[in-house]
Amino acid sequence: MELPFAESYKIKMVEAIRKSTREEREKWLKEAYYNLFNLRSEYVYIDLLTDSGTGAMSDKQWSAMMLGDESYAGASSYLIMKDTIKKLFGFNDFLPTHQGRAAENVLFSVLVKEGDIVPGNTHFDTTKGHIEFRKATAVDCTIEDSFHPTKYHPFKGNFDLEKLENVLKSNPIEKIPVIIVTITCNSSGGQPVSMQNLKDVYSLAQKYGTKVFFDSARFAENAYFIKMREDGYQNKTIKEIVKEMYQYADGMTMSSKKDAIVNMGGFIGFRDRKLYEEASVYNIMFEGFVTYGGMSGRDMNALSQGLMESTEFEYLDTRIRQIAYLGERLKKFGIPLLEPFGGHGIFIDAKRFLPNIPKEEFIAQTLAVEIYLESGVRAVEIGTLLADRDPVTRENRYPAMELVRLAIPRRVYTNSHMDYVAAAIENVFERRDKITKGLKILQEAPIMRHFTVELDRA
Ligand code: F0G
């Protein structure tokens, strides 16, 4: 008999989780104003809100923490991180930050000015937030296929090179300080960008005289998809692929809470020493001295070890297969999903799931609420709430897709948990015709409203 697939780790420490009743959940959700971010985590049975900062660290990461050097300046933990970044990505200089959006804040303080244009492949919301906060414009240049939930494309995170070149050609280049390549592309479903596309984007940037930075939160998952799907990479290691990917970037911002498998942390990698020096000033102002920037020594140690582990094939294979396992189960039941399955979660196509809810009533949020009420599983809306209002007209922006993301934390849940999640969603699917009312907004913040919005039944 051929031996089946099994996880590439065993479990050494556990945390108890608790189920709840439907009545309890009704009450808690009402108190949370139908915003799942407002729920206490103890009210959640399986938490798929995010894969960010929710991973389980390894024994090697925990032991590296004990060796953390907490010196204010020049800590060995900083030097280990510098070495790791150089080895994996090829960048000589880096700045530690407390998380990904802090890296964006520091970098964009140098690069992005009012009136600028920042092309990208569906910028993540904090990235877009930091661009729009500076009265600059984020222009989405993702390929058209990316907006069709069932259309197969192996690299749905790719840039449409024609769209990108048009932006570069039709604007003064000094207004385009940087192109942001998000790997994998979170907002469009954890979809990867191919090596060829990374190469082509970089050569366009060079041709027109601008820079490329990778928003690298899930760079290792991106490398896994290159290995599995792109010709010529099958026999390369993940680390070799990562090294090649970063030849096509002038730098990177990193939310280490994802593919560095730590609970907090981030950094910026730089090819250009001068840019590093300019950014250092902001890092000192916003984050901390250049050799710790918002992180303790032990956290930098865990981060460096995490980067080495997340770029191992066995780890990635376990992770991506678990996501596909959940996806396949839901697909068999006829649940409309975004395909192919992405890197960090399964994305449900809420428009097809709940055709009776008008877009003004927040289709994806309505579905996320129903899944929680059914089962205590917490997912997250990637739809109209997240898309926010247009900064100029203040009108709601209705995105092409209304998605519910089931983000899978790293090394945390077993496939039995995945079975529970699938059954919960299948139950909601069976009663979908009875879900005819969505939600309305009671209160919202002027920017990044989805975190704090207060809602009620429409
Ligand atoms: N870039 C991408 C692609 C992200 O997915 C995130 C965070 C960030 C930047 C910001 O990093 O949270 O460390 O400040 N994404 C989380 C998520 C919040 O749930 O997808 P951060």
Side-chain angles (χ1 to χ4, degrees):
M1 189 194 290
E2 197 186 328
L3 295 175
F5 175 80
E7 289 79 2
S8 62
Y9 47 79
K10 57 182 178 174
I11 297 163
K12 195 155 14 189
M13 188 188 279
V14 295
E15 175 185 340
I17 50 176
R18 179 182 163 265
K19 284 191 187 171
S20 52
T21 64
R22 170 122 195 165
E23 291 79 62
E24 284 177 321
R25 293 193 291 274
E26 296 269 6
K27 177 174 166 283
W28 295 333
L29 197 59
K30 208 161 185 261
E31 287 167 1
Y33 290 102
Y34 298 91
N35 180 347
L36 300 161
F37 284 99
N38 287 339
L39 282 177
R40 288 189 194 194
S41 66
E42 66 199 85
Y43 298 163
V44 175
Y45 178 49
I46 297 175
D47 204 349
L48 307 186
L49 184 71
T50 179
D51 62 320
S52 180
T54 53
M57 292 210 296
S58 70
D59 51 355
K60 290 204 175 78
Q61 283 178 290
W62 280 108
S63 61
M65 288 190 85
M66 300 305 288
L67 301 175
D69 176 353
E70 306 303 342
S71 306
Y72 192 94
S76 65
S77 302
Y78 164 78
L79 295 169
I80 291 169
M81 193 163 153
K82 189 173 161 80
D83 273 357
T84 309
I85 290 169
K86 168 81 183 167
K87 194 153 56 183
L88 283 175
F89 308 107
F91 298 130
N92 284 324
D93 290 304
F94 91 101
L95 289 169
T97 63
H98 77 275
Q99 62 182 90
R101 68 200 70 183
E104 292 163 0
N105 189 29
V106 169
L107 181 69
F108 293 173
S109 291
V110 182
L111 285 182
V112 180
K113 306 271 177 305
E114 182 169 345
D116 282 353
I117 293 162
V118 181
N121 53 338
T122 315
H123 310 68
F124 182 64
D125 55 334
T126 59
T127 319
K128 200 173 187 169
H130 275 296
I131 292 167
E132 292 179 348
F133 182 72
R134 290 171 171 79
K135 299 196 163 49
T137 311
V139 178
D140 191 353
C141 299
T142 318
I143 53 168
E144 205 43 47
D145 281 358
S146 175
F147 303 102
H148 299 280
T150 54
K151 201 151 179 187
Y152 182 81
H153 187 298
F155 293 100
K156 266 183 154 171
N158 276 1
F159 275 74
D160 179 329
L161 297 166
E162 224 172 280
K163 261 195 227 170
L164 176 63
E165 183 153 20
N166 259 334
V167 176
L168 296 173
K169 212 163 37 187
S170 54
N171 292 284
I173 199 64
E174 59 279 8
K175 290 267 163 221
I176 307 178
V178 64
I179 300 167
I180 299 289
V181 184
T182 304
I183 50 174
T184 60
C185 186
N186 184 0
S187 310
S188 63
Q191 298 292 328
V193 179
S194 71
M195 189 71 86
Q196 186 59 49
N197 201 249
L198 293 176
K199 202 186 233 173
D200 292 341
V201 168
Y202 193 58
S203 57
L204 277 179
Q206 300 238 297
K207 177 173 161 195
Y208 287 90
T210 186
K211 293 183 186 50
V212 174
F213 266 69
F214 290 175
D215 176 351
S216 305
R218 302 178 182 86
F219 75 95
E221 291 168 8
N222 200 95
Y224 175 88
F225 285 117
I226 289 176
K227 182 176 170 80
M228 303 307 271
R229 295 183 186 167
E230 193 162 351
D231 283 348
Y233 292 94
Q234 278 69 21
N235 297 323
K236 291 210 180 344
T237 66
I238 298 293
K239 287 184 173 67
E240 286 167 347
I241 294 171
V242 168
K243 197 70 184 269
E244 183 178 338
M245 284 161 62
Y246 282 85
Q247 286 172 13
Y248 309 121
D250 298 294
M252 66 191 289
T253 55
M254 177 71 186
S255 167
S256 305
K257 302 167 74 173
K258 287 85 168 175
D259 273 353
I261 332 182
V262 288
N263 304 115
M264 192 52 73
F267 63 88
I268 317 169
F270 299 89
R271 196 170 308 288
D272 175 5
R273 176 83 195 174
K274 196 167 152 282
L275 188 59
Y276 159 78
E277 283 166 0
E278 282 170 10
S280 296
V281 177
Y282 291 99
N283 216 66
I284 293 169
M285 280 203 298
F286 299 151
E287 293 294 299
F289 184 58
V290 295
T291 66
Y292 73 86
M295 296 189 72
S296 48
R298 54 182 171 272
D299 287 340
M300 288 193 276
N301 273 9
L303 193 164
S304 301
Q305 174 62 27
L307 284 174
M308 297 311 285
E309 290 176 19
S310 77
T311 47
E312 282 297 318
F313 178 77
E314 293 299 322
Y315 154 77
L316 284 165
D317 202 34
T318 297
R319 169 155 180 75
I320 307 290
R321 276 172 186 260
Q322 182 173 50
I323 283 141
Y325 174 84
L326 175 61
E328 287 303 336
R329 244 211 82 157
L330 292 170
K331 190 176 164 179
K332 243 184 238 152
F333 207 78
I335 306 220
L337 302 173
L338 197 140
E339 286 179 77
F341 307 139
H344 63 291
I346 292 297
F347 291 67
I348 306 172
D349 181 354
K351 272 191 193 167
R352 279 188 293 146
F353 196 117
L354 293 179
N356 298 325
I357 307 288
K359 68 178 191 308
E360 293 76 14
E361 291 182 12
F362 307 105
I363 309 167
Q365 182 68 11
T366 302
L367 180 55
V369 157
E370 287 300 331
I371 293 169
Y372 174 73
L373 287 176
E374 177 69 30
S375 61
V377 171
R378 174 158 70 171
V380 76
E381 188 249 21
I382 311 260
T384 304
L385 285 177
L386 181 77
D388 234 316
R389 291 179 188 273
D390 184 286
V392 179
T393 67
R394 301 306 300 158
E395 292 298 319
N396 272 318
R397 289 189 281 212
Y398 293 105
M401 291 190 287
E402 284 275 347
L403 303 171
V404 170
R405 182 183 75 171
L406 307 162
I408 315 294
R410 292 167 180 76
R411 308 191 286 212
V412 170
Y413 293 113
T414 66
N415 282 0
S416 309
H417 292 115
M418 297 302 114
D419 289 338
Y420 179 97
V421 171
I425 294 164
E426 286 160 12
N427 287 348
V428 178
F429 194 60
E430 282 194 325
R431 60 177 172 81
R432 65 190 181 281
D433 290 342
K434 298 201 187 78
I435 304 169
T436 53
K437 278 229 162 295
L439 298 159
K440 62 177 181 204
I441 292 182
L442 298 176
Q443 259 200 82
E444 64 182 286
I447 195 164
M448 285 190 253
R449 63 179 177 184
H450 63 291
F451 289 118
T452 53
V453 69
E454 294 185 356
L455 302 155
D456 199 358
R457 298 267 190 209

